[in-house]
Amino acid sequence: MSIFKLSPAFKDYIWGGSRLKTDFFKNTDMTPLAESWELSVHSDGESIICGGEFDKMGFSQYVSEHPQAMGTNCQRFENFPILIKLIDAYDNLSVQVHPDNEYAMRVEGEYGKTEMWYIVDCEENAELIYGFDREISKEEFAQRIENNTLLEVVNKVKVNKGDVFFIEAGTLHAIGKGILIAEIQQNSNTTYRVYDYGRVGADGKPRALHIEKALDVTNLKTAPLKNCGEAVCVNGVCTRMLARCEYFDVSELKIETEAELFADESTFNSLLFIDGQGIIECDGQKIEFRKGDSVFVSADTRYKISGKCICILTKI
Ligand SMILES: [Zn+2]
């Protein structure tokens, strides 16, 4: 049994802010700071083990050398299936879409990307883009990208803290400014951008769009919003199921004082703390945590969390 903190890889995309540093204790000089990849084996930015027996080991090396720590559910995947991030959108992200597994494997040589967002925090009246507000044809989609009128047919959704969005591969989407998100997604970094608000990148040139591929993969029907379950509270621990699909199983835990938890033999547990602080105890080992920390717990491990906190628990 193993339990350890992961330190993230950071990304300085142009729309990022500074809240991951000021509010979530991320230690980097990177400005702006757009994303922290909190549980990642992806070659574009992997997490590094922090402390304990495997201190400073890349998480991808740990995963490949310890298959039993991933749990039996992981065996059905050829590659490690998920990637978990914190995202601080100081400005709007581009309007984008991700391919499904079949297309991505064929064209990009990696997994497609179904993802899930949990709104950690947001400004009043913040909104995001989730699919279209009516079904459109491929010709209309192409034309509206061409003449910069795409925003007239997208579905804009106002968000509140704690809201959850499940974004199946093929769904057009964009995180709006003033939103801080925890994202659980497939292990992929393939994004097809269709509209970027006319912005330029760090090199002064417009950021690339990927219109042909986006036309191939975008679902042109409206995407219904899924509701997640009500919280169930037992002994001071409130658990809310957020999303479950073939790639990940995500819930929110609100812990009042303590919680006894068990990662069974089927899956590891990933804990992403989004509020509070405390201590995790496991087999005599103690790990302190606070808001912003990411902790990995190997399969078949009993552990106890003490402290008032909110945590996103991901299994596969
Ligand atoms: Zn996305």
Side-chain angles (χ1 to χ4, degrees):
M1 62 184 72
S2 294
I3 184 161
F4 46 75
K5 276 191 202 174
L6 287 168
S7 64
F10 296 114
K11 298 291 171 187
D12 62 353
Y13 307 135
I14 54 172
W15 42 262
S18 57
R19 291 196 60 196
L20 295 178
K21 290 187 271 192
T22 55
D23 297 359
F24 292 83
F25 308 109
K26 298 300 164 191
N27 188 13
T28 171
D29 293 332
M30 206 177 264
T31 301
L33 182 57
E35 298 186 351
S36 58
W37 292 19
E38 299 288 344
L39 179 134
S40 167
V41 301
H42 201 286
S43 56
D44 290 345
E46 76 169 313
S47 311
I48 305 293
I49 294 173
C50 187
E53 187 186 345
F54 304 103
D55 190 31
K56 298 194 171 54
M57 183 186 280
F59 188 53
S60 63
Q61 185 186 343
Y62 177 82
V63 167
S64 65
E65 290 175 1
H66 299 85
Q68 71 290 1
M70 300 302 118
T72 52
N73 287 351
C74 212
Q75 291 164 7
R76 69 175 190 267
F77 300 102
E78 197 177 322
N79 303 322
F80 187 75
I82 61 166
L83 201 169
I84 298 178
K85 300 175 178 177
L86 287 171
I87 300 176
D88 175 23
Y90 177 77
D91 198 355
N92 291 317
L93 273 75
S94 62
V95 182
Q96 56 185 249
V97 64
H98 309 297
D100 65 12
N101 277 349
E102 188 278 317
Y103 188 95
M105 280 302 202
R106 181 161 49 82
V107 177
E108 311 289 350
E110 69 166 359
Y111 282 145
K113 189 157 142 188
T114 284
E115 61 193 37
M116 188 220 99
W117 298 337
Y118 173 95
I119 310 295
V120 176
D121 202 4
C122 59
E123 284 171 8
E124 213 174 318
N125 295 319
E127 57 183 25
L128 51 76
I129 292 171
Y130 182 83
F132 296 98
D133 67 357
R134 61 177 167 83
E135 184 170 352
I136 66 170
S137 66
K138 205 175 214 183
E139 293 68 39
E140 183 179 355
F141 185 36
Q143 204 168 50
R144 286 187 177 276
I145 294 170
E146 177 72 35
N147 63 21
N148 285 328
T149 59
L150 184 63
L151 296 185
E152 291 172 17
V153 292
V154 298
N155 180 30
K156 293 180 183 151
V157 185
K158 288 227 184 322
V159 301
N160 293 295
K161 216 168 155 165
D163 285 352
V164 174
F165 296 86
F166 184 79
I167 297 111
E168 198 158 5
T171 308
L172 192 76
H173 62 274
I175 301 174
K177 64 180 173 188
I179 305 179
L180 202 144
I181 271 175
E183 179 176 85
I184 291 82
Q185 56 161 93
Q186 285 185 265
N187 178 18
S188 167
N189 197 24
T190 298
T191 293
Y192 302 146
R193 228 179 259 145
V194 298
Y195 180 71
D196 199 29
Y197 303 89
R199 286 182 295 205
V200 295
D203 60 1
K205 297 186 181 126
R207 299 199 299 167
L209 300 179
H210 318 90
I211 292 163
E212 283 306 315
K213 288 176 175 176
L215 289 172
D216 285 344
V217 306
T218 303
N219 177 0
L220 301 169
K221 297 194 173 70
T222 58
L225 283 170
K226 282 187 189 173
N227 287 326
C228 52
E230 294 288 306
V232 177
C233 300
V234 180
N235 297 333
V237 182
C238 292
T239 306
R240 184 163 62 115
M241 168 55 62
L242 303 181
R244 189 182 277 154
C245 66
E246 58 185 305
Y247 312 110
F248 45 74
D249 174 322
V250 186
S251 45
E252 174 201 62
L253 298 185
K254 287 188 175 173
I255 298 169
E256 211 45 55
T257 50
E258 61 175 43
E260 307 256 6
L261 297 166
F262 178 48
D264 66 27
E265 70 289 341
S266 69
T267 174
F268 63 85
N269 286 2
S270 157
L271 308 169
L272 180 61
F273 292 95
I274 55 164
D275 204 5
Q277 58 184 348
I279 293 174
I280 306 176
E281 287 170 83
C282 171
D283 198 28
Q285 192 188 350
K286 288 188 182 186
I287 293 179
E288 283 186 39
F289 69 84
R290 62 181 172 179
K291 178 180 177 178
D293 281 341
S294 168
V295 175
F296 174 88
V297 182
S298 66
D300 202 16
T301 300
R302 283 186 193 281
Y303 60 103
K304 183 167 120 179
I305 300 176
S306 306
K308 187 174 166 66
C309 60
I310 303 177
C311 133
I312 305 297
L313 167 62
T314 304
K315 308 173 186 185
I316 60 167

